[in-house]
Amino acid sequence: MSQLFEVHPDNPQPRLLKQAAQILHAGGVAAVPTDSSYALVCHLDDKTAAERLRRIRQVDDKHHLTLLCRDLSELATYARVDNRQYRLLKHATPGPFTFILEATKEVPRRVSHPSRRTIGLRVPEHKVLQLLLAELGQPLLATTLIPPGEHEAMNDPQEIRERFQKQLQAVVDAGACPMQPTTVIDLSGDEPVLVRQGRGDPAALGLAPLGEA
């Protein structure tokens, strides 16, 4: 059965975050809050945990997983970022944006896109998640918690635990999250491409919303 950590959204208890981090270090898969919706996360270097995460979501290796990073300097360890890209990233982080970038050798090949060698990266603006990342000391491998065959991300931690208690080792409950997914921007080509419009405003980065010329 998954362990439930009920943490205060503004003043999360360090003891509980430490216990959740220990579960992740030990190879567990957890549901955690973000500034868009709840996400499934696991340790970046644990191959078995990453495979279990994909199985829960029922996605294959062509599905972009995301690295949740504490800040831009950590992000730059795992992605190749030039000056133009860095300026754009600085405008949008932390916040509800996911960026597709070329992965560095620090990213295990099995978690990047098999043909493009790209990875999704983001710096979330959620206090509980930021403190969990700090406790862990490295990024988390993540994917939005959308149940197989459904289109909406889950937002109720109690419901998440009931539904996935045999598949998850931990649920970090910090209350409800916004229901919109992140805005996804592909920075791996010559020009930024808006892939998915979500909670982040693409106009803030000089990009036209989808459907507009």
Side-chain angles (χ1 to χ4, degrees):
M1 179 177 290
S2 59
Q3 195 163 342
L4 182 68
F5 297 100
E6 293 181 285
V7 299
H8 193 282
D10 299 317
N11 296 294
Q13 304 88 320
R15 174 181 57 85
L16 298 182
L17 294 181
K18 186 170 187 175
Q19 290 173 11
Q22 286 170 343
I23 288 173
L24 290 163
H25 268 303
V29 177
V32 301
T34 79
D35 47 350
S36 54
S37 65
Y38 272 77
L40 296 173
V41 298
C42 70
H43 198 288
L44 171 61
D45 298 321
D46 194 309
K47 181 181 179 183
T48 304
E51 288 172 351
R52 288 211 328 274
L53 182 144
R54 287 187 191 275
R55 272 203 306 275
I56 294 169
R57 270 292 313 271
Q58 292 184 17
V59 294
D60 62 20
D61 62 356
K62 293 180 181 62
H63 179 86
H64 264 115
L65 297 177
T66 298
L67 285 187
L68 300 175
C69 301
R70 284 173 288 181
D71 52 34
L72 270 186
S73 62
E74 187 170 74
L75 183 151
T77 302
Y78 296 90
R80 300 186 194 284
V81 179
D82 62 25
N83 289 336
R84 176 184 60 87
Q85 293 165 333
Y86 188 85
R87 284 194 296 272
L88 203 130
L89 289 165
K90 201 168 181 182
H91 272 297
T93 57
F97 290 89
T98 298
F99 297 95
I100 298 171
L101 287 155
E102 184 184 352
T104 66
K105 64 180 186 306
E106 299 297 323
V107 178
R109 185 166 286 277
R110 59 188 162 71
V111 303
S112 60
H113 191 280
S115 58
R116 296 178 58 203
R117 190 74 179 112
T118 49
I119 186 82
L121 297 107
R122 63 176 295 217
V123 180
E125 191 174 26
H126 191 287
K127 186 165 187 178
V128 171
L129 181 52
Q130 275 284 348
L131 290 172
L132 178 62
L133 289 168
E135 180 65 46
L136 200 71
Q138 68 177 103
L140 280 167
L141 193 62
T143 184
T144 306
L145 208 175
I146 301 173
E150 298 183 23
H151 302 288
E152 295 288 329
M154 294 188 73
N155 196 37
D156 183 334
Q158 300 286 345
E159 186 185 339
I160 290 168
R161 188 180 185 225
E162 287 172 18
R163 190 157 174 180
F164 294 100
Q165 59 181 322
K166 293 182 179 176
Q167 295 165 284
L168 298 177
Q169 282 64 58
V171 175
V172 177
D173 177 0
C177 297
M179 284 298 285
Q180 270 186 300
T182 57
T183 291
V184 179
I185 298 171
D186 190 342
L187 294 181
S188 63
D190 293 333
E191 294 294 331
V193 175
L194 179 60
V195 177
R196 178 182 74 193
Q197 194 167 327
R199 189 159 174 253
D201 182 4
L205 304 177
L207 296 174
L210 288 174
E212 292 186 18

